[in-house]
Amino acid sequence: MENDMICDAWLEGPKGKTRYEAPAPFQRVRVADTNQYLCPDHLGPVLMHGANLTWPPEIEWLSPDERPYNSLSPEQAERKFEAFMESIQGGF
């Protein structure tokens, strides 16, 4: 089944009137609002400036395909986080 959601971003910015209309493989969870569907172009800016964002951000991959080529599995992310924490603990 193909994902037929389109990006919830606006061409003119948050107060715009024209939808971007790119396919949206990501969904961002919001507090006290509906979830937001985003394309790769708008995922970063919305995470940086979006309203009603949960923290840490909750993002779901909606595409029926595999994860994006440069994404990490939860296990890989945990290993990288642990390695980072070990690397900075030596400096304190």
Side-chain angles (χ1 to χ4, degrees), residues 22-39:
F26 302 103
Q27 174 178 253
R28 158 182 101 112
V29 177
R30 293 194 283 191
V31 177
D33 205 347
T34 59
N35 292 344
Q36 187 174 28
Y37 300 100
L38 298 164
C39 67

Side-chain angles (χ1 to χ4, degrees), residues 32-89:
D33 205 347
T34 59
N35 292 344
Q36 187 174 28
Y37 300 100
L38 298 164
C39 67
D41 293 336
H42 289 104
L43 180 62
V46 167
L47 290 177
M48 295 297 294
H49 306 287
N52 303 327
L53 183 64
T54 60
W55 195 258
E58 293 180 50
I59 303 165
E60 296 177 12
W61 176 247
L62 298 175
S63 176
D65 300 326
E66 293 294 316
R67 288 190 312 268
Y69 73 92
N70 59 350
S71 69
L72 301 174
S73 70
E75 296 81 17
Q76 291 169 316
E78 182 68 26
R79 285 193 299 270
K80 285 189 176 284
F81 175 74
E82 289 170 1
F84 169 73
M85 292 304 290
E86 287 176 16
S87 73
I88 64 170
Q89 286 177 355

